[in-house]
Every structure is written in structure tokens, then in C-alpha cells.
Amino acid sequence: METAALILDILSWALLLIGSAACVLAGIGLHRFPDVYSRTHASGVSDTLGVLAILTGLLLQAPSFGVGIKLLMVLGFLWISGPTATHALVQAAWIRGIEPVLGAGPDPFHRDEDGDNTEEVQ
Amino acid sequence: MTFRLATLVVLFSGIWLLWSGYFEPLLLSLGAVSVAITIWLSLRMQLLDRESAPLHLTWRFLLYVPWLLREILLANWAVIGLIIRGRGAISPRWVVVDGRQHHDETLAILANSITLTPGTVTVDVAGRTLLVHAVDAAAADGLLSDDMNRRVAALEVD
Amino acid sequence: MKYEVTAIALVVALLLALMRAVRGPTTFDRILAVNAMGTIAVLLIAVSGFLTGRPDWLDLALIYALLNFIGTLAVLKFIRYRNLGLDGGLERRHQEEMFPWKPPR
């Protein structure tokens, strides 16, 4: 094998492995995170890094110009449609009234003990 | 308007040629018919405005993409760390971002950039205010530094 | 060899997402999992195309990506309104009247 082809092969191995790891980790994250909002962040890993690394890894092995362009177009479409679908999903969950599991940190809705965000007159 | 129309015709024809890869008379004429139907439908649905075909942003946007790419890779690294460390590592919180943008299409770019970056997701929009769910303090601080907001606002020409 | 390894990893990821879709617990978890499965399936189709030496499969990958996106949005719209026929203006009014959230102080 010539040197250039070998380097391309190694690069594409690396990218495909990164992408595979990202997708599997996203799958694990879907189980480890507590609610739909935080699971969205896990699926974001496969939607961005997984897609980018795997499709670039394939791009380095593209047999022709046309195949390379198609890979780039699939990449572009997935990168635009992914966040749009995610946003539609979490907005639907929020509108449906699903409350996220919140950690420590400021709550901008200022919820107090009785569960609303109104000021209590003393 | 004419410029937008011409750009879309060129874009659709290019997409057809690249995906088909055949240059026979029959397939080329089918392509011409599809492009004509698509353009006709876009006109009929009144899709040819600055919001759905933001051609005025093209060059500035191409400069914004590499920065966004870097942010996304860094955020991926952080979220992968959280996934490995498990449920106790995350501390989700709400962040409210006031968009500095004056147009809907740039506000949509900001909201989509936030969602595309793992660790933050835009949940709702009211006026120019975005409600964002952040997975931990680091992701929230990245947003509150307002860097992305300012860069997207700088995309606007006027 | 590299395509085989990637394909196996993608199938594992697909199964993990499928388990989340089965476990739920909310409808939105299931839709999220199915959407993630769709994205992974697009990658799997693309990798399989290279695996079998037929990169034409990318056409199928793109079609699957389009259908996955439209399908996710259609299901979301359906579970929100139990209806796919409302026009945009009516939906917006519906949303503003029923579900306002106030920006915090």
C-alpha cells in the first residue's frame, strides 16, 4: 500500500472509531441520565460528534467525487435536522408540563414552597 | 427576489445533478421538470423570503461555522465525560438567554446553535428570550458568557 | 475491517436506544430514542454501503434521514394536537392561549 493511502486508512480508522464510541456512549447516556431533557444532551453526542466523525471517516475513503459530495450533503442535512427535531421534542415535553430533574443552581422560575412563582405577602 | 429565485434554481439544479450523476437527455429533462415544480411550489407556499432563504448571511455564516464546530467538539468532550461519570455528575439547570439579534432568522440560528451544542438545548422561545436547559454549571457558564450570542448577532448585516 | 467494527458498534448503539424506547417512561423519551435510532440507522446504512462496496446506498441514507425528520415532527405534532390538520396561525394562537411561560425576573 502506498504511504498516502496508508495515512488515509489510519485517519479513517481513527475517525470511525471515534464516531462509534460517540454513538455507543450516547446510547449509554440515554440510560444514565434521569429525564428527557438531560437525555437530549446524550443523544446530542451521537447527533453531532457521531455523525461528523463517521461520515468524515467514510469521506476519506470515498471512491469518487460524487460519493464525497453525497456524504457531505447527508452530513449537512443531519446537522440541521437534528437540533430542529430535538428542539421540537423538548418544547413539546415542556408544553405538556413535564418538569425536568434539576440539580443545585439558580432556578429562574423562583419556585417557592407552595410550588408557584408568586411573591408571598408577609 | 429575482436573485433569490435564480440562486434557488441554480442550487436545486446542482443538487439534482450531483445526486443523479447521469447526464442523459431523459434524466436531465426530468430534473428540469422537478426543479420547475419545486420552485413553483416554493412560490405558491410563499417560501422565498429572507427567513427561509437567508442568502444575505452566506459569507458571514461560513466564517461562523468553524468557531461553532470548535465549540461543539469541546462540548461533546464535556458531555462524554458526564456520561462516563454517570448520573451523579450532572446538575441540570435552566438558563435564560436574551437574544441580541434583531431578526427571526438570526435568532433561529442562535437557538439551533445552542441546541446543536451538546449540553445545552433550547426549550422555548418568548419574543427574543430563549429558555435553555443546561446539563451542568460549565455548560450554563459557557452560555452566560454571551460569546455565541454576540457572534450570531454579528452575522446581521445591518 | 474498519467498516465491520463500526457497523457492530452502531448496532450496539441502536440496541441501547431501542431499550430506552421500550423503557420510556414518558412518550417523549420514546420519541427521543426513536429519533436517535433513526440518526444511527442513517449512519449504519452509509457504513453498510461502504462495507458492501456499494456507496449508492447513500441515496437510501439521505431518504431515511428525511423520513426520520418528517416522521419525528409528525408524531410530535400529532401527540400535541391529536390532529395533523391545524394550520400554523391557529396553532400559534392555541399555544399562546394555553401554555404561556413568563420570562423570569
Side-chain angles (χ1 to χ4, degrees):
Chain A
M1 199 186 278
E2 325 158 29
T3 324
L6 186 66
I7 291 173
L8 274 186
D9 202 45
I10 292 171
L11 271 178
S12 114
W13 255 110
L15 283 166
L16 288 172
L17 285 182
I18 291 174
S20 311
C23 287
V24 173
L25 282 167
I28 295 172
L30 281 178
H31 290 270
R32 286 197 152 183
F33 284 173
D35 66 343
V36 63
Y37 299 95
S38 34
R39 281 175 200 140
T40 306
H41 304 306
S43 99
V45 173
S46 71
D47 278 358
T48 56
L49 183 62
V51 168
L52 180 72
I54 289 187
L55 291 184
T56 333
L58 294 180
L59 184 66
L60 296 180
Q61 300 292 323
S64 68
F65 176 74
V67 171
I69 289 286
K70 286 181 187 183
L71 281 168
L72 285 178
M73 279 160 71
V74 172
L75 175 63
F77 180 77
L78 284 178
W79 269 48
I80 293 172
S81 74
T84 313
T86 306
H87 166 68
L89 181 100
V90 287
Q91 192 191 30
W94 172 240
I95 283 174
R96 178 57 75 84
I98 293 181
E99 291 286 333
V101 176
L102 292 181
D107 181 2
F109 291 100
H110 299 291
R111 285 214 182 71
D112 36 34
E113 282 79 19
D114 54 348
D116 58 14
N117 57 356
T118 52
E119 300 275 346
E120 253 71 47
V121 183
Q122 297 297 320
Chain B
M1 181 68 196
T2 323
F3 174 66
R4 267 179 224 286
L5 198 62
T7 320
L8 279 194
V9 171
V10 172
L11 191 68
F12 290 165
S13 314
I15 290 176
W16 174 279
L17 289 177
L18 286 171
W19 277 91
S20 106
Y22 289 99
F23 295 88
E24 298 155 13
L26 174 66
L27 286 169
L28 285 183
S29 48
L30 285 176
V33 172
S34 330
V35 170
I37 291 177
T38 314
I39 293 286
W40 176 67
L41 283 175
S42 313
L43 286 174
R44 205 178 115 94
M45 293 165 78
Q46 301 175 348
L47 285 181
L48 280 178
D49 54 11
R50 57 177 292 145
E51 196 172 318
S52 54
L55 299 172
H56 52 283
L57 296 177
T58 313
W59 291 113
R60 289 154 185 265
F61 187 69
L62 288 181
L63 293 176
Y64 170 68
V65 168
W67 180 83
L68 181 64
L69 203 61
R70 188 183 134 261
E71 288 292 302
I72 288 173
L73 292 180
L74 291 176
N76 265 299
W77 184 247
V79 173
I80 285 176
L82 291 177
I83 291 175
I84 291 172
R85 281 189 284 149
R87 196 182 175 127
I90 69 172
S91 134
R93 60 196 63 205
W94 291 116
V95 179
V96 172
V97 178
D98 283 313
R100 295 165 180 268
Q101 295 74 23
H102 299 103
H103 295 293
D104 286 349
E105 69 271 13
T106 34
L107 190 69
I109 289 178
L110 176 68
N112 248 19
S113 306
I114 291 174
T115 310
L116 196 52
T117 317
T120 52
V121 51
T122 311
V123 176
D124 210 346
V125 188
R128 303 254 155 250
T129 310
L130 305 180
L131 177 65
V132 179
H133 182 271
V135 75
D136 69 349
D141 289 345
L143 259 186
L144 290 172
S145 75
D146 239 18
D147 202 10
M148 182 181 275
N149 199 351
R150 240 172 292 166
R151 279 173 195 267
V152 176
L155 291 175
E156 294 180 342
V157 183
D158 37 311
Chain C
M1 185 59 195
K2 53 180 174 291
Y3 303 131
E4 283 89 338
V5 173
T6 315
I8 290 169
L10 286 175
V11 171
V12 171
L14 209 57
L15 289 175
L16 284 168
L18 181 64
M19 277 161 66
R20 176 43 74 193
V22 172
R23 281 172 65 188
T26 69
T27 318
F28 300 101
D29 289 289
R30 297 180 211 275
I31 300 172
L32 177 69
V34 170
N35 188 39
M37 282 175 72
T39 310
I40 297 168
V42 171
L43 297 177
L44 189 57
I45 295 172
V47 171
S48 314
F50 278 73
L51 185 63
T52 52
R54 295 172 66 184
D56 313 337
W57 286 25
L58 283 176
D59 299 13
L60 307 182
L62 186 82
I63 296 295
Y64 198 87
L66 290 162
L67 285 177
N68 184 41
F69 179 57
I70 301 289
T72 303
L73 292 192
V75 170
L76 284 171
K77 186 172 173 183
F78 186 75
I79 61 167
R80 191 195 286 185
Y81 301 114
R82 300 279 170 229
N83 188 338
L84 290 178
L86 297 174
D87 74 343
L90 191 57
E91 270 166 45
R92 201 159 299 138
R93 246 176 291 131
H94 183 69
Q95 180 184 336
E96 280 165 7
E97 281 164 15
M98 288 183 66
F99 313 105
W101 68 270
K102 293 181 194 65
R105 287 153 290 174

